[in-house]
Amino acid sequence: MSAAQPLPCHIESVPSFGPAPRRTTRQVHIGGVAVGGDAPVVVQSMTNTDTADVASTVKQVAELWRAGSELVRVTVNNPESAAAVPRIVEKLAMMGVEVPIIGDFHYNGHQLLAGEPACAQALAKYRINPGNVGFGKKRDTQFAQLIEFAIQYGKPVRIGANWGSLDQALATRLMDENHLRAEPWEAARVLREALIRSALDSAERAVELGLPAERIVLSCKVSGVQELIAVYRDLAQRSDFALHLGLTEAGIGSKGIVASSAALSVLLQEGIGDTIRISLTPEPGAPRTQEVVVAQELLQTMGLRAFTPMVTACPGCGRTTSEFFQELAKVVQEHVRAKMPEWKITHPGAENLTLAVMGCVVNGPGESRHADIGISLPGTGEAPAAPVFVDGEKSVTLRGENIAHEFVALIDGYVERRYGRAATAI
Ligand code: SF4
């Protein structure tokens, strides 16, 4: 867009600082979790275990929940996995893991829900892909059956269209209609329209069948950043259903994180999106929980929610000749992340704590003063002393071998004083 062109009308309301107010969408209750309306943006994740393997799935769901996932989706693709779902939900409840479990259905969902009523009952939400619900004449019948199960069991549904499994009949029809236009759209725009229409038309059909609009979440996932932004801006303008946001097939490692963050941050800044998932391909051996950590950090760094204290750390440069400050930054971030489940209960508000670990005197004291607690480590040639700043004032200077241990103890003491029961009782 050139500088002379006006902003698109849907982003006129973005303020010069901070995110735009959330788009008002209908609020959907998934288990005990509110999504949409004035609820905070919800973090969700998906397992990659064989759902029929109850022990592995329970273990991974519990890990995702402990990492902070507020909803967890599992694949339900065959009778074995459908039969496993109620056992998974029961075991999680026995472990005190209170996270709504969402069933992901493709092709045979209508049969699986019919064959396993306990699965239909145990799930907190059904995810249906309108492009994969069935083909030809069976498509509408099978979609209707899925919606009728949702009505019968009182469950919400996500109607999740996906670029990779677009309703081909709809896409072909829209392409044919496009040829009749005086000025045909480019093919990519027609396909985006097909994706949006697939979700919106399916939602409309679900409402006609009797599913309340307050039990519908929509998503239209694509794997390109600009395409996702365009699709969701359009979707948000054309409906008031709660929206699930995610870049599908985001990729592995930093590419997946950067692409997801780039796309989702633009939309979240415009107030679009009620629940997010970061669809990372895990690095071999990496924990599945990484997608939860990235989702939380995205929301927290944007100032939309707070989950765990954030550590500001400098990148290091030629003024730091040892890796000590990098190790300290890691130790501190891991310490507060590990403590947060406990602090959430015993020290509410600790998630808002800000910390700084800096590598030398250039920016160290200044950045440390901006944090609740910050430490400025000695750079090359500087005196071997690490001043600690608390609430903007220099507090103590740490020296010697135990700096990491002592700094962590200072953090724990600060959390106790500021967020402990004694502090909140005042
Ligand atoms: S604070 Fe010091 S060590 Fe860190 S990047 Fe800046 S100059 Fe380098």
Side-chain angles (χ1 to χ4, degrees):
M1 182 190 303
S2 76
Q5 288 178 301
L7 284 170
C9 60
H10 50 265
I11 58 171
E12 273 175 357
S13 59
V14 176
S16 58
F17 181 81
R22 293 268 304 287
R23 299 292 178 101
T24 307
T25 59
R26 294 171 187 270
Q27 190 165 81
V28 181
H29 291 269
I30 303 168
V33 177
V35 170
D38 58 359
V41 180
V42 168
V43 172
Q44 63 177 287
S45 59
M46 185 171 183
T47 58
N48 63 354
T49 54
D50 176 1
T51 307
D53 180 345
V54 174
S56 299
T57 305
V58 165
K59 181 171 175 287
Q60 193 174 80
V61 170
E63 287 166 359
L64 291 165
W65 175 74
R66 283 193 198 99
S69 187
E70 294 158 309
L71 301 169
V72 178
R73 183 158 45 115
V74 301
T75 296
V76 187
N77 58 333
N78 53 34
E80 294 75 22
S81 60
V85 164
R87 290 156 55 209
I88 291 166
V89 171
E90 188 183 350
K91 280 186 187 293
L92 289 167
M94 283 164 60
M95 293 163 62
V97 176
E98 294 172 6
V99 63
I101 301 297
I102 300 162
D104 195 69
F105 294 98
H106 297 271
Y107 310 112
N108 58 356
H110 59 296
Q111 292 167 338
L112 297 174
L113 289 172
E116 287 288 347
C119 169
Q121 182 58 50
L123 290 169
K125 187 177 78 170
Y126 310 152
R127 185 272 170 129
I128 305 170
N129 178 341
N132 280 348
V133 125
F135 301 101
K137 288 179 185 158
K138 290 183 179 170
R139 182 188 169 282
D140 289 348
T141 319
Q142 290 172 189
F143 179 80
Q145 285 173 316
L146 284 161
I147 296 301
E148 277 154 16
F149 282 120
I151 294 167
Q152 179 185 343
Y153 289 97
K155 306 294 179 181
V157 166
R158 169 156 71 96
I159 295 174
N162 192 301
W163 197 246
S165 46
L166 190 55
D167 179 341
Q168 290 304 316
L170 176 63
T172 305
R173 182 159 58 81
L174 293 189
M175 281 290 185
D176 291 344
E177 288 173 13
N178 189 48
H179 288 313
L180 302 176
R181 282 196 171 89
E183 291 183 29
W185 295 352
E186 59 186 41
R189 183 176 173 190
V190 180
L191 290 176
R192 289 201 300 271
E193 176 65 14
L195 192 71
I196 293 167
R197 285 277 298 276
S198 176
L200 289 177
D201 292 356
S202 300
E204 195 179 319
R205 176 88 180 110
V207 171
E208 283 169 10
L209 288 164
L211 187 68
E214 289 73 20
R215 274 204 254 140
I216 296 174
V217 179
L218 291 190
S219 67
C220 284
K221 291 194 179 180
V222 300
S223 56
V225 170
Q226 295 297 347
E227 286 81 4
L228 191 88
I229 294 168
V231 162
Y232 271 85
R233 279 177 174 166
D234 206 352
L235 189 61
Q237 273 205 307
R238 291 164 64 174
S239 87
D240 63 354
F241 291 107
L243 296 179
H244 168 117
L245 212 56
L247 188 75
T248 191
E249 288 105 31
I252 193 163
S254 60
K255 187 268 173 183
I257 295 171
V258 170
S260 293
S261 302
L264 269 57
S265 60
V266 169
L267 293 164
L268 291 166
Q269 186 74 359
E270 294 174 18
I272 299 170
D274 301 299
T275 174
I276 65 169
R277 181 192 173 211
I278 306 292
S279 300
L280 289 183
T281 306
E283 306 248 18
R288 187 69 169 176
T289 49
Q290 193 190 16
E291 66 175 63
V292 179
V293 173
V294 174
Q296 288 188 332
E297 289 182 346
L298 175 61
L299 294 175
Q300 185 151 355
T301 52
M302 290 189 70
L304 292 167
R305 288 188 68 181
F307 299 94
T308 198
M310 288 268 121
V311 180
T312 299
C314 78
C317 66
R319 297 177 66 97
T320 49
T321 49
S322 88
E323 291 185 344
F324 180 68
F325 91 96
Q326 295 156 270
E327 286 161 10
L328 181 60
K330 186 163 182 277
V331 164
V332 168
Q333 185 69 75
E334 287 177 356
H335 173 74
V336 293
R337 188 170 285 286
K339 292 285 279 187
M340 203 53 230
E342 174 194 329
W343 282 346
K344 207 168 156 183
I345 299 162
T346 58
H347 299 75
E351 64 273 16
N352 296 303
L353 183 71
T354 57
L355 302 160
V357 176
M358 301 294 291
C360 85
V361 75
V362 172
N363 290 329
E367 197 67 61
S368 298
R369 280 196 178 93
H370 289 307
D372 292 324
I373 308 185
I375 187 167
S376 178
L377 291 160
T380 310
E382 294 176 23
V388 174
F389 297 82
V390 176
D391 292 333
E393 300 292 333
K394 188 172 164 189
S395 168
V396 291
T397 299
L398 303 181
R399 291 184 173 79
E401 299 298 307
N402 280 327
I403 287 180
H405 183 75
E406 290 170 19
F407 186 58
V408 164
L410 287 171
I411 294 168
D412 288 350
Y414 184 92
V415 169
E416 183 58 38
R417 285 197 304 282
R418 183 162 171 188
Y419 303 107
R421 292 195 199 287
T424 50
I426 293 169

